[in-house]
Amino acid sequence: MMAAVSLGSYFAFELARQLLEAGRELGVLALFDAEGPAGRRRVQGRARLGAHLGLLRRMGPAYLGHVARHRIETVRNSFERRRLEWTGGGGSLSIEALIAANQQSVERYTPEPLATPLTVFRAGDDLFDSPEALRQGLGWAPVAAAGFELIEVPGSHLSILQEPNVQDLARHMTRIMQRSDPQ
């Protein structure tokens, strides 16, 4: 079994590919709320406004702070990516620079289709995924040669790994691991 969240899913995907190529058994490859190589299409226009309003109703004024922090992180990330390109990545890396370096690596990576089923977990609190994103397994369908299963779990991008949401995730993982166990 192999599992990873977000950008780490690309590292797990490539490791799984290499293990299979070397003749090893894999069992389960679980990807937690990760955008696949085909991209994760987001809702636009009125649907996007509706998603924002739904989250504002759910979270109250705290949602505005969440949006502001996300924008600030986006600007920081953009700055770090440019800095890494200009400097060639030398020197010590901050967490922002590490994330930017990982994103650059993922952008340069062209995954080959994987001959084992993928299990893609989607954060149910994400109201911005388009119907196309769901049909495409958040962008993993083109490299899922043996197919994929998309499972929605409660929580946001990282809170799916925290209490109480992780309990639901654990139930799904148990079921999937039992199903893939050849016994």
Side-chain angles (χ1 to χ4, degrees):
M1 190 206 91
M2 190 170 304
V5 65
S6 197
L7 282 178
S9 294
Y10 284 87
F11 299 96
F13 185 91
E14 178 58 21
L15 181 57
R17 190 195 66 72
Q18 290 183 25
L19 287 170
L20 289 170
E21 188 176 275
R24 303 286 302 269
E25 296 275 329
L26 183 59
V28 176
L29 176 56
L31 309 174
F32 303 135
D33 205 47
E35 178 179 327
R40 185 174 184 172
R41 290 189 176 82
R42 308 303 259 172
V43 293
Q44 299 297 318
R46 288 184 181 181
R48 186 169 187 80
L49 178 60
H52 279 295
L53 291 174
L55 288 168
L56 183 59
R57 273 193 304 274
R58 183 185 302 162
M59 296 175 65
Y63 180 64
L64 300 176
H66 168 78
V67 170
R69 283 187 301 279
H70 178 72
R71 301 276 165 128
I72 290 168
E73 288 300 316
T74 299
V75 169
R76 276 189 190 149
N77 183 270
S78 178
F79 172 77
E80 284 299 330
R81 290 176 68 170
R82 285 191 191 102
R83 188 185 69 75
L84 287 172
E85 289 170 5
W86 294 333
T87 65
S92 63
L93 291 180
S94 65
I95 189 66
E96 291 85 8
L98 181 62
I99 291 169
N102 284 338
Q103 285 178 324
Q104 285 178 331
S105 296
V106 165
E107 288 170 2
R108 293 179 182 129
Y109 173 64
T110 305
E112 296 175 22
L114 193 63
T116 195
L118 303 180
T119 303
V120 180
F121 289 91
R122 177 188 173 274
D125 288 358
D126 186 337
L127 303 180
F128 296 96
D129 284 324
S130 70
E132 179 66 15
L134 302 179
R135 280 191 296 279
Q136 291 293 311
L138 307 185
W140 291 98
V143 294
F148 68 90
E149 178 181 14
L150 181 65
I151 300 172
E152 186 170 304
V153 292
S156 62
H157 182 63
L158 293 178
S159 77
I160 63 174
L161 303 173
Q162 300 166 348
E163 292 287 349
N165 302 324
V166 73
Q167 296 299 322
D168 196 62
L169 184 67
R171 280 191 294 279
H172 285 292
M173 286 299 295
T174 300
R175 176 184 54 82
I176 291 162
M177 288 171 26
Q178 288 171 345
R179 184 178 63 203
S180 71
D181 189 9
Q183 290 189 24

